Amino acid sequence: MIGRLRGLVAEVGEEDALIDVAGVGYVVRCGSRTLGHLPAMGEEAVLHVETQWSEANGMKLYGFLGRDERRAFVLLQAIQGVGPKAALSVLDVLPPAELAQACVRDDKAAVGRANGVGPKLAQRIVTELKGKPLTDGPVAAFHAGALSPATPAPPSAAGEAVAALLGLGVAEVNARRVVEQAHLRLGEDATIQALIKAGLQELGR
């Protein structure tokens, strides 16, 4: 089973990427957010991979920028009615930390923004993922009981930065895009202020 790929980006399509590993090209299906954050053609990329096999379709590889995304992808597919395409769609609109927070808040509307996810399926996702650790961060600690059940999970720096940009009139899709780019570039310890500043610079403001 392939769990990770390190290679050169050979091609990027609408739903997948071709990663050249020592002369062997691996077709990896990815969400649009992952595809948008891949390095330029010819540059090295590292993808966490979930390998799936079926008699009808053979082997398929699904790629993610982080381990948390791969874990969330697996947990989503354990829910009745959620296939690979729907799972990728959910992660396109809600990265794992934000998905975990949505489940804590019982926010089915946030999950329902994903393509192909109707209200009933969104409610099922929220219900079944509530209490399951999707990240290694504060939300996971909440689910593990490190925080009081009455205490809301602390918002992520990225989530706060997106909210701040929304307050400045930036469209949600653009706010998420620039904050995610800044988060990848600055690292996990980036402050809210640093993410906002980098996001505004990216938007040319």
Side-chain angles (χ1 to χ4, degrees), residues 65-119:
L65 297 174
R67 184 175 56 187
D68 286 351
E69 291 180 341
R70 178 187 174 192
R71 178 194 302 169
F73 177 74
V74 173
L75 290 173
L76 280 164
Q77 286 188 89
I79 300 171
Q80 182 182 359
V82 180
K85 188 171 183 178
L88 290 176
S89 293
V90 171
L91 292 174
D92 273 343
V93 299
L94 290 172
E98 294 182 32
L99 176 59
Q101 291 176 22
C103 293
V104 169
R105 300 192 306 267
D106 198 26
D107 188 357
K108 66 178 182 181
V111 178
R113 295 203 311 268
N115 289 332
V117 177

